[in-house]
Amino acid sequence: MTGNPGKRPLNAHEPRPVPALPECPPELSPASRQEWGRLSAELSKLNLITHLDRGALAAYCAAYGFWTEALEQIQKYGTMVKSPTGYPIQSPYLAIANRQAELMIRIASEFGFTPASRSRISAPPPDQLPLLDLTMDDYEPESAVDLGS
């Protein structure tokens, strides 16, 4: 609605892949596959997912799966554990959970999963086509008109 406040040139030749729901990779864990189902349904409703997004969404879902596994272990053993020598140390699961959370946030911003990243996405309402979305069948060049030569 505010146009282009940064006055950056817009890419008129930006590729626009057809929205489509990619197949869930079989390598994902059960928790990751559940997250895939949840997110792909939401992205599909908004026409924000294509076959090209499969790898990025799979990476997000895999990170989510590892994150949930690490959180389960932290809840089970705590954030501090005893080292082999008996001294208390930070649980290795805490580092795993933190790293996976970082990956999830980074990938989430690409898909618009965070409030800040959503504000940067501009998508037309589902019932409206963009003005420049013409196919060759819709286009009638002026030179094709008979000028009565």
Side-chain angles (χ1 to χ4, degrees), residues 2 6 16 18-19 24 35 50 68 75 80 102-103 108 121 130 147:
T2 61
R16 297 178 193 258
V18 176
C24 181
E35 184 70 352
T50 71
T68 58
Q75 290 169 357
M80 299 296 288
E102 288 173 13
L103 287 171
I121 294 176
L147 299 175

Side-chain angles (χ1 to χ4, degrees), residues 80-128:
M80 299 296 288
V81 294
K82 284 188 181 181
S83 71
T85 58
Y87 290 101
I89 59 169
Q90 177 180 298
S91 168
Y93 292 112
L94 193 56
I96 293 169
N98 289 338
R99 178 67 182 136
Q100 298 311 310
E102 288 173 13
L103 287 171
M104 288 167 48
I105 293 297
R106 195 171 330 147
I107 298 169
S109 69
E110 294 292 322
F111 281 104
F113 295 166
T114 63
S117 65
R118 249 189 320 277
S119 71
R120 293 188 296 267
I121 294 176
S122 175
D127 59 338
Q128 284 185 339

Side-chain angles (χ1 to χ4, degrees), residues 19-42:
L21 185 58
E23 199 172 306
C24 181
E27 301 83 15
L28 293 179
S29 70
S32 300
R33 293 175 71 77
Q34 186 175 1
E35 184 70 352
W36 175 282
R38 185 183 76 81
L39 291 176
S40 63
E42 292 297 321

